[in-house]
Every structure is written in C-alpha cells, then in structure tokens.
C-alpha cells in the first residue's frame, strides 16, 4: 500500500492487514509529532506548526489511529448518507488508503434530530465514515494547538476535564467572604449554528481548504440537500474543537481590560471567567460593572465570530439569589456557598424514570432494575460533589412511590403483604430494597441514590497541558482519579486497570474512557475459565478482536 508521506512508519512496512498493525509504534510516532506541534504552537512558530501537521496527517500511523477511533466509538454503527459502516477488519484496512487529501470532497451530512430537555429538538449532522475518519485525522493535528492556547478555565470537550471542574472553579471564585457577589450568566444564541465560517477559515490553525470543505458540505433532510452558510455541524468529531477555538481568547481579553488574576486591578473588579462549551459565567464586584463594562466587551468579542448573546437568557444575578449552571443551582445561604441539583434537572431525571416505568410496566422486576440503575447511579454520581443528600433522599422517595404503584397495578387482586414479600427484602442493612431474579446475573437490587457518598471533587490544574511532557505524569494520575470516581471505580475492571499500570497489555497504550475497554478471559469460559481476576485481562476493543481472530 502506498504512503503519500516521506515519513514511512514501521507499521506501514510490515503490516499487510488491519490486525497486523503495530499499534504501540503507531501511537508513539503520533504522540511524538503532537508534542512537537504543541511546543511549536507555544513558541508561536506557526510555519513549523503547519509543517508538522502536514507530516502527521500524511502518516500511516495517524490514519490508522483515526480509523480505529471512529470504528470504536458509540456512533460506529450509525451510517451517513452513503449507508457505509466499517465493521470488518478488511473494510478498515482498505480505508487507510482512502484517507487522501488530494481530490477529497466531503459528502453532505445526514440530518437527524434529538429531543432537548425544554421540549425542543436539537439538529445533529451525521457525516459519512470517510468524513468522520478525515476529521479524526485532522483532530490529531489540531488538538495539540487548541490545548496549548485554550482558556485556562474552559472545561467542555477537553481531555480529562468535566462539568465538575467548572463547578469547582465557581466555588473557588465565589465561596469566600471577600469574593464577588454578582455573576453574569452568559448564554450564546444558537452558538453552534451561528459561528462565522469566514472567521473559522481565517483563524483555525489547520489546512484552510479542508476546514472550508467541511463547513460548506451542507446537509440532507427529507431527500433535499441544504447549503450551510454558518455554524459548525453538531455531530462531527472535530466540531466541538472548532467551537472551542472560536470561543477561546475571551478570558485573556477580560484580563486585559480588568486585570490578571492576583493583581491589584483584579482585586478591584473581581472579574473571573468560567466556561463549559458555550455556557459561561463571569463574576464581578457589582451589577453596574457587569452590565456596563463587562457585557459590552463580551458582545464585541462574540460579534467578531458572528455570535450574539441571548437577551432573555443572559442575566446579571446576585449570588444570594442564586443561578443554575450545568444542572446545578449555585447559591450562597447566609454567606455559605452551596451547589445543589437544580429543580429543572431533578424534574428531568424524574420524567426519565417515569418514562421507564411506563415503558416496562409489564416487564419482569430484574429488567426494570437493569433500566433504572444506570440512570440513578449516573445522576447521583454527577451531583455527589455538592450538597445533594436531601435531594437524593427525595429522589428515592419519588421512585418508591412509582415502584409501589407499579407493583399494585401488576397484582391488584393480591394483598399488600404478598406484594411486599415478592418484590422487597432487607439487603445490606437497608429495608424495603426492590429486587428481582435475572436469568444470567442472579439476584439484582435497585440502587438508592441516598447511598451515594458526598465527595468533594478535586479540580484539574487549569494550566496543565496533556501534550506537554512535563505534565504527562500528572495526566496519568488524573486519569486514575477520574476513573476511580466513575462507575469503573466500583467494578472489577478498575482493579484490573490498576494491575496493568493503566495500559492495554497488547498495544501498551493507556486505557481511557475515550478508548473504551473489553474484559478478556485468558482461558475462555466455555473451556472452563472462571471470572476470577487471575483469568481476566483488560484490553482495548480492537486488541480484543485481534486476539480472538488469531485464536
């Protein structure tokens, strides 16, 4: 197979099929180039950045990794307008030679809609597999630059950053007695749909021709092709990175007007900035400061990028009144900072749970538990960093009411004692635990949100860069912290992950939430292998398939 780059990775010499690719070597080569790109970007050597990016996107290693990413993520089975999915090693291998810049023309996106919490629908654009792979390839070249120049307190769509980090930064900015008392709640009007194409093409540090092709690809709806004149399509792999790049820079603009952190000017104004995707909060010492001085600066910054603030949703609020941000209500009670699940967020999860009860009103108890537990666990884990204990108890109470109605509807001619004996038991020192018998997993129990421990989140270091070698150890430790706090931290998989030094033993690369993982039995179960830790190995999905193919 031909390689259009002068750099010929070792894996391209010796591999003749998908599962023969040397993934360890491929990742090392791409990582080396990404580190060099980040260093050049930090030193503002933009010509060198462009040269290194060109080397990366033409390398076999980067192309293979890009294809690996789009064929292992959640949307791998969702096709674009061409109906194509790469679900076999042969199709993935042939795709490597198709990732060429010369003559590349992206196809229009397939438009679908997903429901929003407010009842409206959000449009998503589904690219073809080839376009997704091309975006993943160029994302490898762009992310080292965006991470180097990103706003310190931007937390959305970035490696190992989360909404919990943004909430914790608000605690830093607002919790003290001397902290700012007023906040500007920023809401950008249809951010993803209105970002200026001209601004992106001129300012994104990437091949302008490729960026323009993606932005102008259009979308197909009801059999008709529609042109796109503005915005980044929600659904593309690289879209969040482009949107972040458009919004990055506001923090430094605010600092130039109102003083950098820990300077005399900043103490006078107390202007601090926190952003998650297109939602942001700016603190200030007074309402007049935020409305008359800060807001015009923000509006001017947004206008350059074709964006405007929503007049109805952009508000200036006192901290004692409180405000909602990322599903949490932030407020001071008698001078004490507390963040709790917002009423709107609580209503949304209750509506979701109620829908499960309606859909599975005739299902066996174990299946109902299997559907409810992930929702309860995920919602409680998201909110456990704040003052959520009372809200957790209220959620459990409402679920209990729904459970009892579910049980009575199924057995209207039975006595209550019979119903209680059939569906409830004492388990782990807790009474009235709803249970059911699964055919393959045995006895299953419904989770109680109130059993989730309240643990303060440990915020990421704002200046840390995953492409700076001096921060590499920090990010490995951060990955362990993030996974320990996740569902994985409660399972056998976390023990395996730690035992394997966080890496897949097949390709020697980190196992992360983005890569995903499979649990492999060394001695297969049908050959008498057990589920004990000594017989289990954690592998990347692609490595897992390769092992079974060899067997």
């Amino acid at each position: 197979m031909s390689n259009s780059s002068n750099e010929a990775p070792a894996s391209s010499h010796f591999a003749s099929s998908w599962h023969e690719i040397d993934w360890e070597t491929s990742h090392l080569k791409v990582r080396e180039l990404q580190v060099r790109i980040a260093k050049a970007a930090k030193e503002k050597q933009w010509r060198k950045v462009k040269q290194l990016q060109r080397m990366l996107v033409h390398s076999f290693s980067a192309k293979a990794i890009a294809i690996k990413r789009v064929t292992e993520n959640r949307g791998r089975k969702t096709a674009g307008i061409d109906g194509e999915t790469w679900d076999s090693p042969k199709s993935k291998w042939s795709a490597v030679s198709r990732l060429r810049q010369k003559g590349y023309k992206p196809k229009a996106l397939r438009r679908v809609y997903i429901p929003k919490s407010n009842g409206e629908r959000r449009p998503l654009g589904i690219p073809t597999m080839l376009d997704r792979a091309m975006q993943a390839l160029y994302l490898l070249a762009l992310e080292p630059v965006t991470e180097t120049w990103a706003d310190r307190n931007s937390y959305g769509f970035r490696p190992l950053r989360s909404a919990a980090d943004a909430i914790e930064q608000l605690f830093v900015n607002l919790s003290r007695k001397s902290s700012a008392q007023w906040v500007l709640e920023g809401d950008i009007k249809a951010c993803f749909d209105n970002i200026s194409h001209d601004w992106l093409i001129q300012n994104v540090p990437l091949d302008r021709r490729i960026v323009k092709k993606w932005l102008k690809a259009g979308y197909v709806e009801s059999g008709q092709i529609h042109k796109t004149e503005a915005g980044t399509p929600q659904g593309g792999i690289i879209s969040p990175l482009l949107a972040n790049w458009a919004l990055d820079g506001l923090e430094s603009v605010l600092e130039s007007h109102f003083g950098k952190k820990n300077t005399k000017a900043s103490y006078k104004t107390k202007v601090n900035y926190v952003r998650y995707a297109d939602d942001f909060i700016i603190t200030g010492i007074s309402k007049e400061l935020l409305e008359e001085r800060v807001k015009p600066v923000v509006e001017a910054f947004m206008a350059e990028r074709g964006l405007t603030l929503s007049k109805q949703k952009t508000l200036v609020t006192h901290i004692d009144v409180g405000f909602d941000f990322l599903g949490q209500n932030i407020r001071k009670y008698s001078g004490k900072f507390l963040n709790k699940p917002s009423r709107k967020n609580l209503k949304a999860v209750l509506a979701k749970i109620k829908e499960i009860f309606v859909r599975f009103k005739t299902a066996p108890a174990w299946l109902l538990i299997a559907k409810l537990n992930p929702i309860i666990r995920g919602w409680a884990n998201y909110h456990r960093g704040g003052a959520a204990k009372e809200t957790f108890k209220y959620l459990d109470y409402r679920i209990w009411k729904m459970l009892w109605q579910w049980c009575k509807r199924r057995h209207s001619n039975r006595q209550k004692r019979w119903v209680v004996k059939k569906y409830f038991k004492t388990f782990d020192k807790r009474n009235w635990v709803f249970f059911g018998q699964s055919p393959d997993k045995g006895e299953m129990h419904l989770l109680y949100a109130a059993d989730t421990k309240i643990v303060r989140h440990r915020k990421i270091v704002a200046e840390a860069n995953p492409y700076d070698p001096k921060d590499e150890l920090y990010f490995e430790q951060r990955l362990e912290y993030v996974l320990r706090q996740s569902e994985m931290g409660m399972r056998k998989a976390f023990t395996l992950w730690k035992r394997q030094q966080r890496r897949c033993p097949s390709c020697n690369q980190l196992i992360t939430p983005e890569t995903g993982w499979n649990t492999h039995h060394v001695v297969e179960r049908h050959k008498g292998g057990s589920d004990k830790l000594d017989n289990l190995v954690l592998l990347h999905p692609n490595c897992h398939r390769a092992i079974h193919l060899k067997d």
Side-chain angles (χ1 to χ4, degrees):
M1 185 186 66
S2 63
N3 189 2
S4 58
S5 171
N6 291 329
E7 182 225 9
S11 48
S12 64
H13 283 309
F14 304 111
S16 58
S17 67
W18 179 254
H19 286 308
E20 289 180 17
I21 294 173
D22 183 349
W23 291 109
E24 184 175 2
T25 302
S26 295
H27 278 283
L28 286 172
K29 286 181 175 293
V30 170
R31 174 70 181 177
E32 181 186 349
L33 281 172
Q34 287 179 318
V35 169
R36 291 172 65 190
I37 290 169
K39 184 182 178 183
K42 188 176 182 180
E43 295 169 354
K44 298 184 181 180
Q45 297 179 2
W46 299 112
R47 182 174 291 182
K48 188 174 182 180
V49 167
K50 190 175 180 180
Q51 291 171 346
L52 291 168
Q53 286 179 330
R54 180 175 172 78
M55 286 176 62
L56 191 146
V57 300
H58 282 81
S59 73
F60 174 91
S61 299
K63 290 177 182 180
I65 289 169
I67 292 167
K68 185 169 180 275
R69 175 170 179 172
V70 299
T71 54
E72 290 187 356
N73 62 17
R74 289 182 180 179
R76 64 188 180 275
K77 295 180 181 179
T78 306
I81 62 169
D82 60 358
E84 186 178 2
T85 57
W86 298 339
D87 53 3
S88 68
K90 186 177 179 181
S91 60
K92 295 173 191 176
W93 178 248
S94 64
V96 177
S97 60
R98 293 172 61 190
L99 293 189
R100 294 189 299 267
Q101 289 71 23
K102 189 176 181 180
Y104 169 66
K105 186 179 180 182
K107 288 183 168 63
L109 308 176
R110 182 165 68 89
R111 174 64 63 91
V112 297
Y113 292 90
I114 59 171
K116 294 170 69 175
S117 58
N118 59 5
E120 297 178 2
R121 296 194 305 163
R122 174 181 283 114
L124 284 185
I126 310 298
T128 64
M129 289 300 293
L130 180 63
D131 294 335
R132 268 179 260 178
M134 284 294 283
Q135 290 188 19
L137 177 62
Y138 276 85
L139 184 142
L140 291 171
L142 179 60
E143 193 171 64
V145 184
T146 59
E147 282 300 305
T148 302
W149 285 97
D151 286 340
R152 294 190 312 277
N153 291 304
S154 161
Y155 297 98
F157 304 118
R158 295 181 61 192
L160 294 180
R161 294 183 180 233
S162 65
D165 291 310
I167 297 294
E168 196 62 25
Q169 184 60 34
L170 287 177
F171 175 81
V172 172
N173 294 341
L174 294 165
S175 60
R176 301 182 185 90
K177 287 184 179 179
S178 58
S179 296
Q181 299 296 303
W182 292 90
V183 297
L184 171 69
E185 304 173 56
D187 186 274
I188 304 169
K189 194 173 181 180
C191 176
F192 280 87
D193 297 329
N194 292 322
I195 297 175
S196 166
H197 282 182
D198 290 339
W199 189 93
L200 285 173
I201 293 165
Q202 292 298 320
N203 291 278
V204 172
L206 204 62
D207 188 327
R208 291 179 181 178
R209 294 170 301 171
I210 295 290
V211 173
K212 185 176 181 179
K213 286 178 180 180
W214 287 332
L215 295 175
K216 301 295 183 183
Y219 63 92
V220 174
E221 187 175 15
S222 303
Q224 291 186 333
I225 296 180
H226 301 265
K227 291 182 179 180
T228 46
E229 302 299 335
T232 59
Q234 296 184 63
I237 288 178
I238 207 166
S239 295
L241 223 63
L242 297 178
N244 262 346
W245 184 260
L247 297 175
D248 278 332
L250 180 54
E251 188 168 24
S252 58
V253 168
L254 291 171
E255 287 178 348
S256 68
H257 282 79
F258 305 103
K260 289 188 177 181
K261 189 178 179 182
N262 299 328
T263 61
K264 285 185 179 180
S266 69
Y267 286 130
K268 288 180 181 178
T269 59
K270 296 178 182 174
V271 171
N272 292 291
Y273 171 77
V274 176
R275 177 170 69 83
Y276 186 91
D278 59 341
D279 295 322
F280 64 89
I281 299 292
I282 302 174
T283 67
I285 201 165
S286 69
K287 185 176 183 180
E288 292 72 28
L289 172 74
L290 292 173
E291 286 184 339
E292 297 171 12
R293 295 179 59 193
V294 173
K295 192 176 177 183
V297 171
V298 176
E299 288 175 331
F301 177 88
M302 296 298 173
E304 288 181 22
R305 291 147 176 79
L307 301 171
T308 56
L309 297 179
S310 169
K311 292 181 179 178
Q312 293 78 22
K313 297 179 181 178
T314 301
L315 308 169
V316 177
T317 312
H318 196 277
I319 189 61
D320 290 346
V321 176
F323 59 95
D324 289 349
F325 185 61
L326 302 178
Q328 303 220 0
N329 180 259
I330 314 294
R331 185 178 167 186
K332 270 189 174 180
Y333 297 81
S334 302
K336 186 175 182 180
F337 178 101
L338 292 178
N339 57 292
K340 304 177 180 181
S342 68
R343 288 185 179 181
K344 184 179 178 182
N345 193 264
L346 177 61
K347 284 183 179 179
V349 74
L350 283 170
K352 194 173 183 180
I353 289 169
K354 187 176 181 180
E355 185 185 344
I356 296 290
F357 275 101
V358 172
R359 283 176 54 203
F360 293 90
K361 57 187 175 184
T362 60
W366 69 267
L367 184 56
L368 182 67
I369 293 169
K371 297 295 179 181
L372 290 175
N373 274 355
I375 298 172
I376 298 168
R377 184 188 293 113
W379 190 83
N381 282 345
Y382 180 83
H383 290 286
R384 68 177 174 179
K389 205 66 176 179
E390 291 302 316
T391 312
F392 288 171
K393 289 178 182 178
Y394 177 73
L395 180 73
D396 289 337
Y397 164 73
R398 290 291 300 273
I399 293 173
W400 152 250
K401 298 283 280 185
M402 294 182 205
L403 272 176
W404 189 243
Q405 289 297 322
W406 184 86
C407 294
K408 287 200 302 180
R409 187 188 299 113
R410 292 167 68 91
H411 306 287
S412 56
N413 59 340
R414 292 284 189 172
Q415 292 184 349
K416 291 181 180 178
R417 285 185 180 180
W418 185 93
V419 174
V420 170
K421 189 176 180 181
K422 180 172 176 63
Y423 290 110
F424 298 92
K425 66 183 299 185
T426 299
F427 176 75
D428 202 17
K429 298 181 181 180
R430 182 182 275 280
N431 299 323
W432 294 88
V433 177
F434 185 72
F435 75 100
Q437 289 289 343
S438 166
D440 54 347
K441 295 181 179 179
E443 190 171 279
M444 297 175 66
H445 305 94
L446 187 69
L447 295 175
Y448 275 80
D451 287 344
T452 304
K453 293 181 180 179
I454 302 298
V455 182
R456 195 91 215 176
H457 180 74
R458 192 168 74 218
K459 194 183 84 69
I460 194 168
V461 174
E463 292 81 6
N465 183 348
Y467 297 100
D468 191 332
K470 70 179 176 59
D471 292 328
E472 190 161 343
L473 178 60
Y474 171 76
F475 272 96
E476 289 203 8
Q477 293 169 344
R478 184 71 189 176
L479 175 62
E480 181 177 332
Y481 171 77
V482 168
L483 289 180
R484 189 186 292 277
Q485 304 306 312
S486 70
E487 282 186 48
M488 186 192 189
M490 306 170 197
R491 300 203 305 261
K492 198 181 286 184
F494 187 76
T495 306
L496 290 171
W497 185 76
K498 283 278 289 178
R499 190 173 71 180
Q500 296 170 193
Q501 282 81 45
R502 315 181 188 96
R503 296 178 182 274
C504 169
S506 181
C507 66
N508 201 34
Q509 297 306 302
L510 286 171
I511 295 174
T512 70
E514 286 73 31
T515 64
W517 58 83
N518 290 161
T519 305
H520 172 66
H521 289 74
V522 179
V523 178
E524 296 174 30
R525 277 181 290 188
H526 70 273
K527 294 179 180 177
S530 70
D531 288 330
K532 292 182 179 179
L533 285 172
D534 290 342
N535 191 47
L536 300 177
V537 179
L538 219 59
L539 299 169
H540 288 135
N542 187 74
C543 298
H544 193 204
R545 284 191 290 270
I547 287 174
H548 279 282
L549 191 68
K550 288 176 183 176
D551 291 343

